[in-house]
Amino acid sequence: MEDQTIAFIGLGNMGGAMSSNLVKAGYKVTGYDPAQGARAQAEANGVALADSAVEAVAGADIILTMLPDASFVRDVWAEILPHAKKGALIADSSTIDVMSAREIHQMAAQAGLQSVDAPVSGGVAGAQAAKLTFMLGGSEEALARIEPVLAVMGQKSVRCGEAGSGQAAKICNNMILGVNIVAVSEAFALAEKLGLSAQAMFDVASGSTGQCWALTSYCPVPGIVPTAPSNNDYKPGAAATMLLKDLRLAQEAAGSVSANTPLGTHVTEIYEKFVEAGFGGEDFSAIIKSLR
Ligand code: NAD
């Protein structure tokens, strides 16, 4: 229903591209971000700029937030919820911890609004190409309401369950990714030392039991998968700091429910060292450099 009006709060790398796709689909989008660069780009993309988050949500049917972390999300939701239109729906696509996600759902319920946690995978390239995957948590009614809007920004939405389930799915998925990219990197580093060519290693593993996305779409050795960041001097892609953020969230969640995640713990430590060594701005597949 393109006659719905949308408020988009947080117009950074992800939010900028996502809001632009909403405009292209014919939605009237009002946005807010304090950063001048983000504002200018969003305006060029056809987003109407507001001077504050409160001003942006005035009259909006759907409110979307895409912010750096949980503390930003909590603060912004606390600020805007009292000013949202009666019957509006609010969704957050930032990656945040499960407890904070549940907390903001409660804040929305207290303000009389339906809410959804809708974190994404697909990165900036996915956001630009409208090929994100959304992982959704919330009531069936709220999810049904938000899905047509999300369909404009992504290729798939998965209903994960009640409040916070989208964030739970997101961090569990990224824990798999972290473990897999390190496993693939270790295997290539070992193969190299054993005199096996990277191409032979790839040809075997990609059609065999070692097959996984980290290998076939994101091969950390250059010259094999053309679109992988390894072929672009490990420019992100997704920065190592970003994966570390998600790995830490997974560890926090595991601690809160006493889940046993030894590999998740180890991979988090590996990325902590990598980021401390100054490689945080490189794509996370650059981890192979530290394993060679
Ligand atoms: P970003 O830093 O580019 O964008 C965040 C934006 O929020 C910035 O432009 C910042 O100015 C703005 N902001 C800060 N305070 C604000 C406020 N009070 N009101 C409005 N805007 C405010 O980050 P990003 O890469 O767009 O990521 C956003 C979220 O998406 C993060 O939670 C991240 O973990 C998640 N995510 C990112 C990627 C990725 O590849 N970049 C992939 C999946 C998920």
Side-chain angles (χ1 to χ4, degrees):
M1 235 186 16
E2 285 82 356
D3 57 348
Q4 292 183 109
T5 57
I6 299 182
F8 209 114
I9 315 294
L11 305 166
N13 291 321
M14 296 293 290
M18 292 162 75
S19 56
S20 168
N21 285 327
L22 289 170
V23 172
K24 281 185 206 150
Y27 284 104
K28 184 176 177 301
V29 183
T30 302
Y32 174 69
D33 192 301
Q36 211 33 255
R39 291 176 69 79
Q41 186 58 55
E43 191 167 35
N45 292 339
V47 172
L49 289 182
D51 288 331
S52 68
V54 166
E55 188 185 310
V57 302
D61 301 302
I62 306 275
I63 301 166
L64 301 173
T65 54
M66 191 53 163
L67 297 160
D69 63 31
S71 66
F72 284 86
V73 178
R74 244 191 318 266
D75 288 353
V76 167
W77 279 43
E79 188 189 344
I80 60 182
L81 284 171
H83 303 276
K85 182 167 116 175
K86 194 170 178 295
L89 179 140
I90 182 162
D92 177 53
S93 284
S94 326
T95 304
I96 66 172
D97 62 280
V98 177
M99 297 304 162
S100 298
R102 290 186 181 143
E103 219 176 283
I104 59 168
H105 274 280
Q106 271 174 9
M107 287 162 60
Q110 277 158 14
L113 264 61
Q114 286 184 327
S115 56
V116 174
D117 52 297
V120 300
S121 76
V124 178
Q128 286 165 343
K131 288 197 168 155
L132 294 170
T133 294
F134 289 90
M135 292 150 261
L136 308 183
S139 70
E140 290 286 314
E141 198 187 331
L143 301 191
R145 245 179 103 186
I146 195 77
E147 277 166 340
V149 176
L150 302 183
V152 163
M153 300 180 285
Q155 59 186 2
K156 188 172 159 190
S157 284
V158 181
R159 292 188 181 196
C160 298
E162 288 300 320
S165 305
Q167 295 291 357
K170 164 82 185 170
I171 55 167
C172 289
N173 177 69
N174 280 17
M175 190 172 77
I176 298 176
L177 172 62
V179 170
N180 279 355
I181 196 76
V182 171
V184 169
S185 298
E186 281 185 6
F188 273 98
L190 173 62
E192 201 173 284
K193 291 218 158 99
L194 295 174
L196 179 65
S197 78
Q199 190 63 55
M201 170 69 206
F202 180 84
D203 291 345
V204 171
S206 60
S208 184
T209 46
Q211 192 277 331
C212 60
W213 185 91
L215 174 75
T216 55
S217 295
Y218 225 75
C219 186
V221 175
I224 296 178
V225 175
T227 50
S230 54
N231 287 308
N232 191 22
D233 205 20
Y234 298 99
K235 290 196 184 73
T241 47
M242 191 79 77
L243 181 61
L244 178 57
K245 172 189 166 186
D246 296 359
L247 290 170
R248 282 177 168 152
L249 289 176
Q251 285 304 289
E252 209 180 301
S256 74
V257 292
S258 302
N260 192 19
T261 57
L263 285 181
T265 304
H266 194 179
V267 167
T268 307
E269 287 162 4
I270 289 173
Y271 273 98
E272 272 166 356
K273 284 199 189 113
F274 190 59
V275 169
E276 275 164 22
F279 296 101
E282 297 202 11
D283 185 78
F284 67 85
S285 59
I287 196 72
I288 192 167
K289 293 182 192 173
S290 71
L291 298 166
R292 274 200 171 119

